[in-house]
């Protein structure tokens, strides 16, 4: 009877330890690795791809030395600059894009499968040639993923 009581206590302790361990996140090396990289690319003289003439605008330019302003008609353009991973539009009179800075961000993830079999210390109550007895030893476990 005493052995049965010891076995029930060992089983209960193992059961409580198992429930406590289930609430904790198990981290294995290489299980999930997230790498975020931010890369800055500077383009000093981007090539112009297309130019569109939008409309003509009338502007008043100041004249030299006290004279009244001069009326001028200025064509407005829209220039498009594009390349690998960027596109920019610039509008105005003779538009020009001096430089362009883009920030690229990418994320890589790798997952490795956790091993299903493990070897560890076990304690419990089991059937032996002498009947039901407490058990303490090394055993093999198999992890079932639900």
């Amino acid at each position: 009877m005493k052995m049965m009581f010891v076995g029930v206590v060992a089983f209960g302790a193992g059961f409580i330890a198992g429930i406590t361990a289930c609430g904790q996140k198990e981290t294995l090396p290489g299980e999930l690795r997230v790498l975020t990289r931010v890369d800055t690319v500077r383009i000093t003289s981007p090539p112009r791809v297309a130019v569109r003439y939008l409309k003509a605008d009338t502007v008043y330019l100041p004249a030299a030395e006290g004279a009244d302003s001069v009326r001028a008609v200025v064509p407005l353009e829209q220039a498009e600059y594009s390349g690998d991973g960027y596109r920019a539009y610039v509008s105005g009179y003779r538009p020009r894009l001096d430089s362009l800075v883009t920030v690229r961000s990418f994320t890589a993830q790798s997952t490795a499968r956790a091993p299903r079999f493990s070897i560890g210390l076990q304690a419990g109550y089991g059937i032996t040639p002498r009947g039901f007895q407490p058990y303490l030893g090394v055993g093999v476990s198999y992890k079932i993923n639900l």
Side-chain angles (χ1 to χ4, degrees), residues 5 14 19 27-28 49 65 76 92 97-98 101 107 111 126 128 132 141:
F5 176 73
I19 290 176
T27 56
L28 297 174
V49 175
E65 297 185 25
L76 297 180
L97 184 62
D98 295 331
V101 176
T107 303
T111 56
T128 65
F132 287 104
S141 300

Side-chain angles (χ1 to χ4, degrees), residues 107-124:
T107 303
Q109 295 180 354
S110 67
T111 56
R113 292 184 59 101
R116 289 189 177 261
F117 287 98
S118 63
I119 298 174
L121 186 64
Q122 294 180 343

Side-chain angles (χ1 to χ4, degrees), residues 72-137:
V73 178
V74 179
L76 297 180
E77 304 172 345
Q78 181 185 53
E80 178 185 350
Y81 298 86
S82 68
D84 185 31
Y86 72 92
R87 179 177 292 163
Y89 296 96
V90 182
S91 299
Y93 174 66
R94 292 186 185 171
R96 185 175 142 221
L97 184 62
D98 295 331
S99 66
L100 180 68
V101 176
T102 62
V103 177
R104 298 178 188 170
S105 172
F106 57 92
T107 303
Q109 295 180 354
S110 67
T111 56
R113 292 184 59 101
R116 289 189 177 261
F117 287 98
S118 63
I119 298 174
L121 186 64
Q122 294 180 343
Y125 198 71
I127 299 175
T128 65
R130 289 186 265 162
F132 287 104
Q133 290 186 339
Y135 166 75
L136 178 65

Side-chain angles (χ1 to χ4, degrees), residues 3-4 6 14 18 28 31 34 55-56 70 75 81 102 130 134 138:
M3 293 302 276
M4 183 178 225
V6 171
L28 297 174
E31 181 178 334
V34 177
K55 63 179 182 174
V70 177
Y81 298 86
T102 62
R130 289 186 265 162
V138 177

